[in-house]
Amino acid sequence: MKKLLMDILINVNILKIIGYSKKWIEGISIHSKMVKKNIIFVANQGINTDGHLFIIEAIQNGANIIVCEKKPSLIQKSITYVLVKDSIEALGTISSNFYDNPTKKIKLVGITGTNGKTSIATILHCLFYKMGEKNILISTMGIKIMSKKITTLHTTPNIIEINKYLNISIQKGCKYAFMEVSSHGIHQKRITGLLFTGGIFTNITHDHLDYHKSFDNYLSTKRFFFENFLHKNTFALINVDDKNSHKIIKNVLAKIYFYGIKKKADFKIKILKENINGNELIMDKNKFFISLIGKFNIYNLLASYATAILLGKKKYEILKKIKTIKPIKGRFEQFISYSGIRIIVDYAHNPNGLKTVLNTIKKIKKKEEKLICVIGCGGNRDKKKRSLMGKIVYDLCDRSIFTSDNPREEDPKKILIDMKKFRSYLKKKDILTIVNRKEAIQKAIQLAKKKDIIVLAGKGHENYQEIKGIRYPFNDMKIAKTLLKNYNR
């Protein structure tokens, strides 16, 4: 792809252009080391580093156009400098222009909230694909155009990648896009320049307070998405059962719809029967069974159904396909061993998500079935939630095994100490503390008897463990299956 500089600067808040402006560019980058000839380098102030410090390196690697907020001390005659008020916002507009403004040609739905983003985005992707509608999924598990998977590092990829793959998806005939919108992505302006057809609010609970500093800031970031990215011709689908839902919709211009199980809503669902294999439901007078487990998954299913309706799909067509949706990888993913031990792998990595999963199991399991949980907390993340999560597991499970998650740059032993800082720890049973996650899973299998349930929480779909900047191969489900085979369990 090749574009004239002035064409990709349309609607950018430019302060000044230094140098020749009639240049061709063949790409955009925010990483100086990845710059090649005729690539535009956008220098932005990041969380840990300032891109302005790497302008010279970008030029040495081939950049002939620099977008920046501060005029460099050394101006090179062959280089064009575009001075802007906000380089991150400029990046969004530039990326959108470079890739032919893809969100003007595709119906993009953003899903935000503490829990449920991945599940709803994935259910919508599967549902529309089953209905014969080509679409793109942008989620924490990667980007998926129809059936082709593309791996990414962040819940919300950078805006260049988003526009690039949206453009590719349109060329392949996609009409819909379903995208997770994280609070980090909103706050870091990683969705600037995108036009949304609709937005979904799932819920908001304790999470990411290490980054946002307070719950009010976290809530405000979520609200910002609905107030600033949804205009009057779009829709906002809100979980009415969440106690903060009324705060989200204060200044929303979009048409507001509510979904829920408990309160009055535009879209409702009734749970007839719950068990460890799935749920029997009634939705729009239609009774059906689905293999998704837990009330939290019913909310995700209902939000997906409502979104399909709001995007113009027929009820009978949606209902015919939605009941065939299978559990999502790493989200209450189950496996039963030959001896009857049940393994459940779930991504629950915050207090509310963890409590919801464990309470769901306790509600539907039989009294004689023991619940064993292997749990860790991520390093370099919100420390306040560690003891909260430790207490939840300790209070709700028959056996608790505390272990490593992704310790990152932290000492995993210190993380485990933080997890045990709660008063009720002195009350009754012991907590097993095993730093090595594989050994912790192995211990859980040794302790389990026929029909007992082992929950491996926190990592879900992840196929790695991050330690000191290195990602080592690690998949909870695969390791559990291998260990079960070795133990003939």
Side-chain angles (χ1 to χ4, degrees), residues 288-441:
F288 61 96
F289 179 86
I290 190 156
S291 58
L292 299 179
I293 295 97
K295 190 177 285 185
F296 58 94
N297 262 325
I298 303 311
Y299 277 102
N300 298 335
L301 189 79
L302 179 58
S304 303
Y305 173 79
T307 302
I309 295 285
L310 295 173
L311 288 173
K313 308 310 292 181
K314 302 294 182 184
K315 287 182 181 180
Y316 73 89
E317 186 183 9
I318 303 166
L319 288 164
K320 184 180 176 182
K321 300 297 182 182
I322 206 166
K323 62 187 177 184
T324 66
I325 297 291
K326 301 297 181 188
I328 296 154
K329 187 176 181 181
R331 267 66 177 178
F332 218 99
E333 184 182 0
Q334 298 193 63
F335 169 76
I336 303 173
S337 74
Y338 180 77
S339 64
I341 295 171
R342 188 182 295 268
I343 302 288
I344 296 174
V345 171
D346 195 87
Y347 191 54
H349 60 286
N350 57 59
N352 182 260
L354 183 62
K355 191 173 184 178
T356 299
V357 166
L358 296 179
N359 273 329
T360 295
I361 297 168
K362 282 183 74 70
K363 183 180 177 181
I364 57 183
K365 79 178 186 68
K366 293 177 181 177
K367 191 175 180 180
E368 65 273 13
E369 296 168 350
K370 300 296 182 187
L371 177 56
I372 302 166
C373 184
V374 177
I375 179 74
C377 289
N380 304 108
R381 296 294 186 267
D382 186 358
K383 292 183 180 181
K384 289 180 182 178
K385 71 180 183 182
R386 292 174 183 173
S387 63
L388 297 175
M389 292 175 68
K391 186 179 188 302
I392 288 166
V393 172
Y394 183 73
D395 288 344
L396 295 179
C397 298
D398 298 292
R399 293 304 302 265
S400 310
I401 303 176
F402 290 2
T403 188
S404 287
D405 188 282
N406 291 317
R408 299 184 176 89
E409 301 299 326
E410 281 196 70
D411 180 349
K413 291 178 182 177
K414 290 182 179 178
I415 296 174
L416 293 172
I417 290 169
D418 287 342
M419 288 177 67
K420 291 189 283 188
K421 287 179 179 176
F422 55 88
R423 291 177 183 175
S424 63
Y425 175 48
L426 302 173
K427 246 181 2 185
K428 38 183 176 173
K429 52 202 179 209
D430 291 333
I431 295 170
L432 289 172
T433 305
I434 303 171
V435 175
N436 185 292
R437 191 173 179 92
K438 184 177 179 180
E439 290 176 9
I441 296 171

Side-chain angles (χ1 to χ4, degrees), residues 14-45:
I14 301 170
L15 300 177
K16 188 178 182 181
I17 296 179
I18 302 170
Y20 186 62
S21 61
K22 293 181 180 179
K23 285 184 176 180
W24 291 92
I25 66 162
E26 298 175 13
I28 312 159
S29 181
I30 54 174
H31 303 293
S32 57
K33 285 181 168 46
M34 296 174 69
V35 170
K36 296 178 182 177
K37 188 179 178 182
N38 296 330
I39 296 287
I40 187 169
F41 176 68
V42 181
N44 64 282
Q45 177 66 57

Side-chain angles (χ1 to χ4, degrees), residues 468-483:
K468 300 291 182 185
I470 300 172
R471 290 188 170 186
Y472 298 93
F474 200 101
N475 182 292
D476 278 353
M477 184 60 85
K478 284 184 179 178
I479 285 170
K481 286 181 177 179
T482 301
L483 290 170

Side-chain angles (χ1 to χ4, degrees), residues 111-118 180-183 186 200-205 207-208 218 222 225-226 350:
I111 304 103
T112 195
T114 305
N115 301 305
K117 296 186 296 293
T118 302
E180 284 187 54
V181 179
S182 70
S183 60
I186 298 166
I200 303 169
F201 170 72
T202 63
N203 50 59
I204 186 162
T205 59
D207 204 7
H208 306 305
Y218 181 36
K222 295 292 188 185
F225 169 69
F226 289 90
N350 57 59

Side-chain angles (χ1 to χ4, degrees), residues 113-175:
T114 305
N115 301 305
K117 296 186 296 293
T118 302
S119 294
I120 293 172
T122 306
I123 290 170
L124 281 166
H125 172 72
C126 294
L127 175 61
F128 273 67
Y129 194 67
K130 284 173 179 283
M131 292 191 293
E133 295 286 2
K134 293 180 179 180
N135 72 92
I136 176 174
L137 168 68
I138 303 173
S139 83
T140 191
M141 294 197 289
I143 292 173
K144 195 173 180 182
I145 301 174
M146 278 95 84
S147 59
K148 186 179 179 182
K149 293 181 181 178
I150 301 152
T151 304
T152 58
L153 289 176
H154 303 286
T155 308
T156 309
N158 73 51
I159 195 65
I160 306 168
E161 288 181 308
I162 291 171
N163 278 290
K164 174 185 174 181
Y165 289 112
L166 284 170
N167 178 266
I168 291 171
S169 74
I170 290 166
Q171 291 174 27
K172 293 182 179 293
C174 292
K175 295 179 181 178

